[in-house]
Every structure is written in C-alpha cells, then in structure tokens.
Amino acid sequence: MSDDQKDGAEKSPFLQKNIGHLKCEKVKDSPLQDNEDSDNTECGFWIFKGQILQRAATEKMYALLYGFAGLVIAMAYSYSNGTITTLEKRYKIPTKTTGIISVGNDISLCLASPFLGYYMGRGHRPHWMAFGLFTLVVFCLLTASPHFLYGAGDEALKLTKDFGLTNYTDVFLNSTQDDRSLCNDNEPDCVAEVSVWMPIILLFVAQLISGIGCSLFYTLGLTYMDDNTAKSKSPALLSWTSFIRMLGPAIGYSLASFCLRLYIAPDLEPVIKNTDARWLGAWWLGWLILAGFMLISTILIYMFPKELPAARANRLQLEQVNAKAGHHSSVEELTLKNMVKCVKRLAVNKVYVYNTLASVLYFFGYMPYWIFTPKYIETQYKQSASTATMVTGSGALAFSAAGILLSGFVISKYKPSARTMAAWNGISDYLTVAGLLCYVFIGCDGSDNMASLSAASSNCTAACHCDFVQYSPICGQDNVTYISPCHAGCTGQYKDENDRMVFSGCGCIADSNSSKEPQTQIGIDGACPVDCSKQFIAFVAVMCFLKFVGSFGRAGNLLLALRCVSTEDKTFSLGFGNTLLSLVSFIPSPIFFGWLLDSFCLVWGKTCSNKGNCWLYDTKSLRYTLNLTSAGLIFVGAFWNIGVWYYAKDLQIFDEESRKEIQEEIDEFELKETKNDMNT
C-alpha cells in the first residue's frame, strides 16, 4: 500500500476497505480523462469487428464462452483419463509411467503459473487466454501423433481378418506345437517393441505444453470475470461457468467410450469383440475432434476486449469517487522484488494459507479417482473400457449438475457468510472420507478370486517359460480364468463341434482338482464369465453421492479463494496457489498412486526392454490399500478447514451489506467539500 493510500485509509478506513466493490450510480459525468485506448473495450479483431460483435461484450456472454472453453479443456483431460488403459496396452506402459506422463502438465503449470499470473495479469488477458488455448490445440495434435507415426501395432493387426485370419482360433491352428502360447520346453523370444520410449516422450511433451495453456486460461480467466462482474452476480456466474465446465468430463468420457468401441484401425475388421481384454480402441480419433473444438474456443475468447465496457464505466466512476475522497491509488511496478513482497503478503494471510493446506491434502488423496477411475472399474468389476469410461463421465452427471446449480442458487439467494462456506468445505471433506470407506467394502468375489491363480500357475508352469506369452485368457473346467494356455499348462489344442477352440492336457487346471488326470483337463478360449453387476451398481451409487457433495461446495470454495486476498494480489494468488498444489499434490500424487497400482500387479506383459503393462491385479489388496490411503489423507486435510472457518469471520464475500454505509460516507464527504467551497 502506498503512502497516499495509507493516509486515505486513516481518514476513512471503512471507505478505503470497500471502495473497490462499490458501483456508484449517483455520479453522472466524470471530469476525469481516460488515457486508455478505446480499442480496449472493443470486441473482435482485424476485419471482424462491428456493433453486432460489440453487443456480445457483456459479462454473461463472457461467462458463457469461458464456460464453453473450460468444457472443451475438461473434455480433453477426461478423454485422456478414459483412454489410459488402452495406451498402456498399445505401448506397454506401466501405470507408474502413465502417472509420470499425466503430471507433465502440472510440472509446466507449476513453473509457469506464478510468473504468468503476475506479469500477464495486467496485460490483455483475453488475448493471453487465447494463446493458452492455442497451445492446447497443439497438445491435442501432439498426443494423437504416436498413432500416425507408429500405426496400430502388430498385436492389434494380428487380431483382424484383413491380416489374413478368419477368426481368432486361427492364431492357434496355424501355429506349430512349439508355439509359445502353449506349454513347451523351449524358452520363447521376448516381445520386441520398436521405439518404445518415443511415444512416451511425445505424450509427456504434449502434457508439458498443455500445462502452460491451462495456467494462462484459468488464472487469467477467473480474475477477468471477477474484475468485470458485479460482486453480487459473481456466485451465480461462477456456478454457471462451473456447471458448463462440469459437462466436459461427461462429454469427454462419452467421446472416449465411443472411440474405444471402434477398433484402433477402423478400416480393418477385428476378430474379437470390444468386451475382450485384448481389444484396442481408436484412442487417437477423439484427439482430432478435440483439437477442432479447442481451435473454435481460441477464436471466440480472442475476440473479447481488454476490459468490458460496463466494467470500464464503473471503474471510471470509482476513480472519480476516490479522487473526490482524496484517495489516490498507485499501481505497483511489476518487478521480481515486488513479486516477493506479494508472496510475503500471502504467507501471512491465514485464510489463504489454511485453505491451501486443506486443498493440498484433499487433491493428493482424491487425485487417483480423477485419473484412474476407468482403470479401477475395469480391474475391480471386470467392465469393458468403453463401459468404464461411459459410466465415469455420464453416470454421475445429474448429481454433479444438481450440486453445481444448487450451490449457486443457495449462495446467490441466501448469501451465506464466509464462515458458513468454510464449515461446509470441512463437512464435505468428511463426507468424502465416508464415501471412500464405502469403496473398501464394495468388492467382487469373482474378480478377487483371480488373484489366487497367479501363484498356483506360476509354480505349475515354471518349465513352460510363459513370461513373454501374450495375454490370451482361457476358462478352465474349474471355472477359473487363466492368463493363457501356457499359464494353464496346456499342451494340445483342437476345435470342438461348436467351433470353439479347446485346449487339452492342461496340467495346472488339474492341480485345482486332483481327482482328474491332467490329460482330461481342458480349457475354453476366452475368460470365464464374472458377474459383478450388483457391486458395480453400488460403486456407481456411492460415486454419484461423492460427485454431488464435491460439486456443491465448488462455488463457495472458489469465492473464499478470490475474496481472501486483495484485488492487486488476486491473479498472482491463483497462480501461486496452482504452483503449490502442483508441487505438493498434482505432481507427486499420480506418480505415487501409479506406483501403488503397479505394486499389486500379478501378471506383466513383458517386453524385451521393460515389463510392459499389467494384465492382472490383486484386486482385493489394491482396493483396501488405495481407498484407505486416500481416505486418510483427506481426513487429515479436513482439519485445516477449522482454521479457515476461524479466521474467515471478518471476511466479506458480498458488498451489498456495506453499500449503503459506504454511500453515506461518500455523501457526508461531498457535503463537507461543498460547505468548504461555499465558505471559501
């Protein structure tokens, strides 16, 4: 605060504190001259200008288009999450490596957010936001590029009629007895992968680029809305933009579900169904669609002016009021020294600090459910990739929408205090913990029992050399799914009268039933049917509850973050907060939980260069460890909301309550000035 501001605050502390929120209608003509160019309030660019576009320079239109752009971004990230398992299978990527790829955007966001928020916050924010969106166009195209560089892959092509097969059983019928899919004494060659690291590098670089775009869009976009909107309208507009953006995951997961139903090479005819675990969907197709939508968003956001006309008029009126009151504001110079001062101001802001700490632990604990939910559904409840992505996105849409809209209505109508909002944040965290504990007990016995076959089959088939055998499950007579005929110890194969592939002499199946001879034990091509429908429905019900609870407090938490800091620190506080969250939550959490998932893997798809992707997990141990770890982190983080509740007692969210008092103070000041002029 400058010396002039301090002097003004001593004369009128209440006025100085709240003058920035006042929209004064009394003053009709402003004697002040605006030195800014009129282009700062004009919509459009180049030849795309005019009165028609200028009519769109409103806070409601901005909220609509900002929400649409956020929707497309949310679509991109949810689509990425929905296609994770397909990428792991296609490029044989362990989950830990997938976690490292996914944090690429957080690394760049962490490095860029403070500087972009501080230096770009006073520039033409819509133009910088549009630049950020354009980098996301590059992100989409770069993510799809591995498919065009390396194709569908030999394993996917082998499962198509166009590759020379009429059905999948021909894979075995055309093979010799020493084929590595059956138990034999010869150790097979490892599975060679060409340029296995290059797709990983491309995907990681794409994520790095996206972090810069997201940092510019969210950091500048929220403050632009708050600075160009009446404070009384902020809750409603924030809720509506959150609601529009919330549709993004639903559409993104639905798009992923649609694309994954198509084969990775759509022009070829596969011989397996999309319910088969070996199915590879057209994961790359959605990225081309998303790039098109992202480009449209870029153009629309770029057309907005530096400042909305209505907001500019109100700002000039407030400057006149400040001038009459003797308050002369000064703009702090953008230097590294002043940025350090800004950091110090945030460090002593207890509401900001405690709210950030609570968010750090919450996001660390809840991160795996944003990234790995489709994978969790596939492994725990044996659902197809398309079903898992569809349910993740659209299954809880109605509950998320209800939470967003209801929170906006409640806040706008009843105008709860900052303490009430902080209290609800704490309650919602504990409700989230309760939901995660429910996940622990929602397991499927059919899925859990598959974990026991790995130890038995590994001992039984030690001489079969099954390490590099491709995943090709068979169902034994004991109603247990084996990873492949090799893992079941099978030595023969034939087609029965129903045209099914039957594997004979399966010694490992005989181990589970000692009354039968190994030669009489057989297995049928394909996994044994597992019914996890009831458990799956229960999981979806709890997920819908958590979606509602989490979305209901979204608008209130964002208002607390915007109101607990001064106007000049607002943009930087969001960028600095994103950096802290990235360093402590968004970057380490996916890597940690990716490692956690890998630690419960029982069967790896090994290649010559690495151990590849995981085909089978110890689902019971994974379910207990994952959910209890996440619940514990969120439980501890919820305690920091108590500090937010305590120190938010004097925090003002709305300006209507003080409007009358501020206006009376201004009127009193003007009356004194008039008397002084008359006496003079």
Side-chain angles (χ1 to χ4, degrees):
M1 182 180 291
S2 65
D3 294 335
D4 291 335
Q5 288 176 310
K6 292 179 181 179
D7 294 338
E10 292 175 358
K11 295 177 183 178
S12 177
F14 190 82
L15 176 61
Q16 178 61 24
K17 179 180 178 182
N18 297 280
I19 197 70
H21 299 304
L22 175 65
K23 294 174 71 175
C24 181
E25 292 92 355
K26 181 177 179 180
V27 181
K28 300 297 181 182
D29 300 315
S30 174
L32 299 177
Q33 297 295 325
D34 185 16
N35 295 324
E36 297 177 352
D37 192 346
S38 60
D39 289 342
N40 288 342
T41 59
E42 187 176 0
C43 266
F45 63 95
W46 195 36
I47 61 175
F48 303 101
K49 294 182 180 181
Q51 288 300 318
I52 296 178
L53 283 178
Q54 194 62 22
R55 294 173 187 172
T58 64
E59 55 193 21
K60 292 183 180 179
M61 181 59 68
Y62 173 78
L64 177 64
L65 295 181
Y66 178 75
F68 173 74
L71 178 147
V72 179
I73 295 175
M75 283 176 59
Y77 283 108
S78 59
Y79 183 86
S80 177
N81 295 339
T83 55
I84 277 180
T85 53
T86 302
L87 283 172
E88 290 179 355
K89 295 175 185 178
R90 168 60 186 93
Y91 299 108
K92 294 180 172 53
I93 305 174
T95 305
K96 182 177 68 174
T97 304
T98 305
I100 295 175
I101 293 173
S102 67
V103 303
N105 66 311
D106 296 301
I107 293 175
S108 58
L109 187 147
C110 167
L111 298 174
S113 279
F115 299 98
L116 294 177
Y118 186 71
Y119 288 103
M120 309 306 178
R122 297 180 191 174
H124 200 303
R125 284 178 285 186
H127 285 183
W128 281 111
M129 291 163 58
F131 175 76
L133 290 171
F134 183 76
T135 63
L136 292 172
V137 176
V138 178
F139 154 66
C140 293
L141 296 176
L142 194 59
T143 303
S145 64
H147 176 78
F148 298 98
L149 293 175
Y150 302 103
D154 291 340
E155 292 185 9
L157 295 177
K158 288 178 181 178
L159 299 176
T160 63
K161 290 183 179 180
D162 308 76
F163 195 75
L165 304 177
T166 57
N167 55 58
Y168 181 62
T169 57
D170 287 346
V171 174
F172 298 100
L173 292 178
N174 294 338
S175 62
T176 60
Q177 183 61 27
D178 62 352
D179 188 276
R180 62 187 179 188
S181 295
L182 300 178
C183 180
N184 59 80
D185 296 331
N186 298 323
E187 185 172 357
D189 296 330
C190 62
V191 179
E193 284 291 316
V194 180
S195 302
V196 66
W197 285 106
M198 187 54 64
I200 295 176
I201 294 173
L202 288 173
L203 295 172
F204 182 75
V205 171
Q207 290 288 338
L208 280 175
I209 294 174
S210 73
I212 299 174
C214 287
S215 176
L216 285 168
F217 178 78
Y218 286 115
T219 303
L220 302 179
L222 285 174
T223 56
Y224 183 84
M225 178 187 297
D226 197 55
D227 292 341
N228 288 271
T229 304
K231 299 301 178 287
S232 60
K233 297 180 181 180
S234 289
L237 291 179
L238 286 174
S239 295
W240 274 106
T241 55
S242 297
F243 169 72
I244 297 173
R245 192 165 60 246
M246 179 269 301
L247 298 176
I251 301 174
Y253 281 117
S254 299
L255 179 62
S257 178
F258 169 76
C259 293
L260 293 179
R261 290 177 189 273
L262 304 175
Y263 201 58
I264 189 171
D267 57 323
L268 303 181
E269 186 177 354
V271 297
I272 58 174
K273 297 180 179 180
N274 59 14
T275 55
D276 195 302
R278 294 159 292 180
W279 177 274
L280 292 178
W283 63 272
W284 53 272
L285 182 60
W287 290 112
L288 304 182
I289 300 173
L290 289 166
F293 281 113
M294 203 76 73
L295 185 59
I296 295 174
S297 301
T298 302
I299 297 173
L300 293 176
I301 292 296
Y302 187 85
M303 288 186 175
F304 273 91
K306 182 177 182 180
E307 189 176 19
L308 295 179
R312 178 172 175 268
N314 291 329
R315 177 177 59 80
L316 293 177
Q317 288 180 337
L318 291 175
E319 287 179 357
Q320 180 186 21
V321 172
N322 275 318
K324 288 188 175 182
H327 303 150
H328 304 288
S329 60
S330 60
V331 179
E332 191 178 62
E333 186 180 356
L334 295 177
T335 63
L336 185 61
K337 180 179 179 180
N338 288 331
M339 187 172 71
V340 174
K341 291 181 180 179
C342 187
V343 173
K344 292 180 179 179
R345 288 196 295 269
L346 295 177
V348 297
N349 187 329
K350 294 183 179 179
V351 175
Y352 179 83
V353 171
Y354 291 153
N355 191 48
T356 301
L357 289 174
S359 299
V360 162
L361 289 171
Y362 176 86
F363 287 127
F364 194 105
Y366 205 77
M367 184 63 66
Y369 303 99
W370 283 327
I371 299 178
F372 301 122
T373 293
K375 184 181 183 71
Y376 184 87
I377 292 175
E378 289 181 52
T379 57
Q380 291 288 333
Y381 308 109
K382 301 307 174 187
Q383 302 295 314
S384 66
S386 59
T387 300
T389 53
M390 175 64 74
V391 170
T392 303
S394 61
L397 171 62
F399 293 87
S400 295
I404 288 287
L405 295 179
L406 185 60
S407 65
F409 170 77
V410 170
I411 293 175
S412 298
K413 182 175 178 61
Y414 298 102
K415 295 180 176 57
S417 64
R419 269 193 162 184
T420 302
M421 294 181 184
W424 172 248
N425 286 340
I427 294 173
S428 64
D429 283 356
Y430 288 120
L431 291 176
T432 301
V433 171
L436 297 184
L437 293 179
C438 291
Y439 282 167
V440 174
F441 302 102
I442 305 177
C444 180
D445 291 337
S447 177
D448 293 343
N449 291 337
M450 293 187 68
S452 61
L453 71 91
S454 178
S457 63
S458 62
N459 295 329
C460 174
T461 60
C464 292
H465 305 292
C466 302
D467 285 348
F468 296 103
V469 172
Q470 297 179 6
Y471 181 75
S472 50
I474 68 170
C475 182
Q477 284 184 325
D478 52 358
N479 199 34
V480 172
T481 299
Y482 291 84
I483 307 305
S484 70
C486 182
H487 289 83
C490 303
T491 57
Q493 56 197 352
Y494 62 90
K495 292 179 68 175
D496 64 7
E497 62 278 5
N498 297 321
D499 201 34
R500 298 181 304 176
M501 172 55 65
V502 179
F503 301 93
S504 60
C506 304
C508 297
I509 298 178
D511 286 347
S512 63
N513 189 346
S514 58
S515 63
K516 294 186 178 182
E517 295 296 328
Q519 289 74 14
T520 63
Q521 289 295 81
I522 63 173
I524 307 299
D525 180 36
C528 297
V530 176
D531 185 11
C532 299
S533 57
K534 293 182 179 179
Q535 295 86 346
F536 180 50
I537 293 173
F539 172 83
V540 172
V542 176
M543 183 175 67
C544 290
F545 169 76
L546 293 180
K547 290 285 187 180
F548 176 81
V549 169
S551 60
F552 187 82
R554 191 175 301 174
N557 190 46
L558 185 55
L559 282 173
L560 285 174
L562 290 172
R563 298 290 185 268
C564 70
V565 296
S566 60
T567 303
E568 61 270 19
D569 293 341
K570 192 184 302 180
T571 303
F572 179 76
S573 69
L574 291 179
F576 186 69
N578 287 336
T579 298
L580 291 177
L581 290 174
S582 296
L583 280 174
V584 188
S585 296
F586 296 151
I587 293 177
S589 180
I591 298 175
F592 170 76
F593 283 103
W595 167 83
L596 189 68
L597 265 67
D598 282 345
S599 65
F600 291 100
C601 181
L602 300 175
V603 178
W604 290 98
K606 296 181 180 179
T607 67
C608 297
S609 55
N610 64 2
K611 58 185 177 183
N613 61 293
C614 182
W615 287 107
L616 181 66
Y617 289 91
D618 182 353
T619 53
K620 185 175 182 179
S621 300
L622 174 61
R623 184 173 65 255
Y624 274 79
T625 306
L626 173 66
N627 294 307
L628 289 176
T629 302
S630 296
L633 289 167
I634 297 175
F635 180 81
V636 174
F639 282 102
W640 291 105
N641 285 305
I642 299 175
V644 178
W645 172 85
Y646 179 79
Y647 288 105
K649 56 186 176 181
D650 297 325
L651 187 63
Q652 183 180 337
I653 302 295
F654 304 95
D655 59 355
E656 282 81 0
E657 298 176 358
S658 59
R659 181 185 181 91
K660 183 177 179 181
E661 187 172 351
I662 299 173
Q663 188 61 55
E664 289 177 352
E665 189 170 344
I666 293 176
D667 291 341
E668 182 180 354
F669 177 83
E670 291 182 343
L671 180 61
K672 290 180 179 179
E673 290 293 309
T674 303
K675 290 181 178 179
N676 291 335
D677 292 339
M678 292 178 65
N679 292 334
T680 302

